[in-house]
Amino acid sequence: MNHLIKYILSVLFLIHASQIIGQELSLEDKIPFDASIRKGTLKNGLKYFIKKNEKPEDRVELRLVVNAGSVLEDNDQRGLAHFTEHMAFNGSEHFAKNELVDYLQSVGVKFGAHLNAYTSFDETVYILPIPSDDEAIIDKGLTILQDWGGNLLFDSEEIEKERGVVIEEWRLGQGAQMRMVQEYLPVIFKGSKYADRLPIGTKETLETFEPETIKRFYKDWYRPNLMAVIAVGDIDVDQMEEKIKKQFSAFKNPKNERPREEISVPDNLEPLVAVASDKEATNIIFNLMYKADSEELVTGNDYRKGLIQSLFTSMINQRLRDLLQEANPPYLYASTSIGSFITRSKSAFSCFAVPKPDDVEGGVRALMNEVKRVQLHGFTASELKTEKLNLMEAYERAYNERDKTESVGLVDELVNHFLEKEPVPGIDYEYVFTKKYLDGIKLDEVNAIIGAQINEENRVIYLTAPEKEDVMLPTTEDLLAWVKASDESEPEALQDLVLSDQLIQNEPTPGKVVEKSNIEGLEVTAIKLSNGAQVFIKSTDYKNDEIQFMAHRSGGISLAEDSDYWSASFAANVVGLSGIGAYSYTDLQKVLAGKSVGLQPYISDLEEGFRGSSSPKDLETLLQLTYLYFTEVRRDETAYQSLMQRNVAFLSNVMSDPNYFYQDRMAKILSQDNMRGGGIPTIEDLQKVDLDQALFFYKDRFSSPGDFSFWFVGNVEEETLIPLIEKYLGGMPSTKKEEWVDRGVRAPSGMVDEKVYKGSEPKSMVNMVFTGEMKYSREDSYYLKCLSEILDIRLVEILREEKSGVYGVGASGYSSKSPYENFEFNISFPCGPENVDDLVSSALETIQEIQEKGVSDENLNKIKEAQRRDQELHWKTNGYWMNVLKTYHVNAYDYQEVKWLDQRIEDLTAKDIQDVAKKYLNTKAYIQVVLYPEE
């Protein structure tokens, strides 16, 4: 960016910030509502919120928010709040059956990926992101919201057809977790309607309700005084306000309307305790919650208290994460939170842990002892300093990106404001308020939080676990005894630890730039360093506070011999958890407090490298971390043992879950049981991981930095970056250049039909995989992707809408040059076991229809418009440019042909898709793997 422009923007920033500070934000004042948001209430009670936001350009996020969910259902309506949401896509005043989805697809809006909705206990929210560069599309979008809000038809025939779809969604949610939820929910929500109002409802109701029953729900609760319309995006606010008034002012509330009561969860004097187990469960999960009445955020004092709570939960969770780094960690995961307890009228301090199967009590006691330690001794000064730095950095990052914030995040804030009265003061206020008051928060104030959260009353305790003959599960009495013992324990205080923030102890020897050129037309600078490393720099203004970083070298795990495969597979994870230089993993996180930087080494099958990002101010830290991951990885026996112990604990019961079992079997079938073909490792596999061999392999793969290629994309200045890459990347050696090895992992040929039996629920999973060798071409790879998009549309129309046999179905297709030229095309869907054969036949007939008759112009235009719209957004993101530049470099594509990524859309024909379907999808020879319940 031009230096003059940057200077002007910095001056404007200072003026703007000083104006806010000049308001002398008072703790007693009410939290303001963001003045950039237009809000209003129509005479019928409907509220609206409108905000102009230009990221992404030419898009607007529309929402219809209904303050009604499953908790308002009558006894004969269980599941019908959610069913109503489904019917919103099945016929309304202005859109006959399927016309709504057809229209939106024609303007580039994808069903599911973009267009969506959800129903929870207390609300239903309809999600509609649409292009805003065409007034006709905006008008249609508001008409869709209008129809959802008051003009659904509830045609009896469409209700009958949708029953099957919703029951398939119900079926999808069945399993160990749902069975255990149904055991503990009546206990933890004792005396509340929430206990028996899960949004999905009951199968009996879904199968038998009369149309008048769902119409009654819609009439009672879909009314303007329970609704909000929200529009955030690249729009004219005045015009949008007029359109909303025109579309929604005619809505009327029903006579004798039912009161919208807030359903409560009663207080409890004695703890509510539940233990639920299931033979298909994989992990033990412990929860302890201390309920309290919710407090509304109204004044600056309330906002400041929220900052204190954020510091509190961050510090206690960091302590819980620190315990994971022990050689024998007490649990697989643990955390705490302060937030909603399902109902809006109650909040809870929640303590959560996943104990190891062989020491449930130890895991629970470890979690509760840390809570007790904080209760007795509080936190240390250095912990508070660290979390203040992290919290302020998060606000600074959000403030720096205030003009580049995506609309979807802003619209979600407004949804929460309408439903839960969450303040929306805007990032200007939040940043300046936090900057003014965060530093003054005292340690005693943070330490006092826990005293306000923990009480003898209103405790809720529950544990879920696998049901195994060799595992003795705790009783409710055991859980109460463990918590009581922790209440009475007196753990020692933690010692304050102050760390140096100097990452690098010995300054690196720099290299030099030996070649520099520009890639014409792409505004990319290509650099070659004296050690042979190649660096590509693209400066963008898509984000103000983001630089994305990537490094790549060919090789990967393929270079490990079979005897070292598992050590090589875990090498990057071992290094990532061991820290670098003088710092352990835990200490490194503390040293990096307040910095917007992240870096992760990776080793995949065919390559190794780094993925990371930073703010412009922390760019040097990013390069320092890169240098240390090349030169100073640590041997940390404790970190290694921690990683292995947690993996062993997780794997001990993972195969009891039908989904994991099926995924593992799929991987083995597709690779013909090759150890490198994926799948879930066994405990015996983990025992083959050797720490020293893992470190040796990592160091070998990262021993020659000069053979790597590096990419920097974002708000980066070359004059700042080049000296840093000379210093931290240019002086490291180039010792050897290697390429990946083809280890011969291949899918079986011919027709493969395998049935997998696992689980007790009457549900199946189908995967149909077409795969084989090919002469690779970028065109065919693209056409396979397009074929999958066409099949997404057609399979939803046939398997879901016509046959009511699935809730969701998807297709995916791609091809690859490495390690051999091949393609893979997959169709997958869950369904009832009794419907497998019929749905598979329909999927095959759909493929054959495309092979024989081709693709309709209507569907071709749908996927082309969706791709055009996606590309408009992709070209304005750093991540997309990063991946494009890497792909073109690694594959030696001509950079001048980058625009082919757009042109291919315009050139795409129906015949291209038909031809690729004929060429690669042999409906007589493919791999079919189906999960069935155990007989």
Side-chain angles (χ1 to χ4, degrees), residues 563-773:
S563 58
D564 298 325
Y565 173 76
W566 290 108
S567 296
S569 297
F570 277 82
N573 286 335
V574 169
V575 169
L577 290 174
S578 297
I580 46 176
Y583 302 104
S584 67
Y585 174 82
T586 298
D587 290 343
L588 183 62
Q589 309 313 306
K590 296 170 184 175
V591 169
L592 296 176
K595 295 183 183 295
S596 179
V597 63
L599 184 69
Q600 188 67 44
Y602 72 90
I603 308 176
S604 62
D605 287 342
L606 304 179
E607 65 180 70
E608 58 270 353
F610 296 102
R611 300 184 184 94
S613 65
S614 78
S615 65
K617 69 179 177 63
D618 296 315
L619 178 59
E620 183 166 10
T621 302
L622 176 67
L623 271 296
Q624 289 175 336
L625 292 171
T626 306
Y627 175 79
L628 290 172
Y629 273 117
F630 271 124
T631 62
E632 292 189 45
V633 296
R634 302 171 77 248
R635 186 186 190 282
D636 190 328
E637 179 74 32
T638 299
Y640 162 74
Q641 290 294 342
S642 171
L643 177 65
M644 291 300 106
Q645 288 287 327
R646 282 182 281 151
N647 274 281
V648 167
F650 171 73
L651 292 172
S652 63
N653 206 51
V654 70
M655 287 304 179
S656 63
D657 185 311
N659 295 313
Y660 283 121
F661 186 90
Y662 176 68
Q663 291 168 21
D664 181 67
R665 189 72 198 111
M666 270 286 299
K668 287 179 168 55
I669 291 169
L670 288 172
S671 65
Q672 300 187 81
D673 288 316
N674 192 302
M675 65 184 298
R676 298 172 184 264
I680 298 172
T682 64
I683 292 176
E684 290 73 24
D685 293 329
L686 291 185
Q687 292 170 347
K688 298 172 184 176
V689 179
D690 177 80
L691 172 58
D692 290 318
Q693 183 57 40
L695 289 175
F696 175 83
F697 185 79
Y698 177 92
K699 291 177 180 178
D700 180 67
R701 298 315 315 137
F702 289 84
S703 64
S704 185
D707 292 329
F708 279 74
S709 299
F710 302 89
W711 292 266
F712 296 85
V713 180
N715 187 12
V716 57
E717 294 181 340
E718 285 185 25
E719 55 266 41
T720 300
L721 177 60
I722 289 175
L724 295 176
I725 63 175
E726 287 180 323
K727 179 177 181 179
Y728 294 110
L729 302 180
M732 295 181 290
S734 175
T735 56
K736 58 182 178 179
K737 190 172 183 65
E738 293 181 290
E739 292 292 334
W740 49 260
V741 174
D742 182 359
R743 292 292 180 175
V745 181
R746 299 290 189 274
S749 58
M751 186 66 207
V752 176
D753 186 358
E754 179 135 353
K755 297 176 176 62
V756 179
Y757 295 92
K758 188 71 173 177
S760 58
E761 291 290 342
K763 61 180 183 179
S764 286
M765 184 68 198
V766 177
N767 266 277
M768 305 165 67
V769 183
F770 303 81
T771 185
E773 297 192 18

Side-chain angles (χ1 to χ4, degrees), residues 380-392:
T380 68
S382 66
E383 286 178 303
L384 180 59
K385 178 182 177 182
T386 294
E387 292 310 325
K388 279 185 176 180
L389 289 170
N390 286 332
L391 186 58
M392 194 66 240

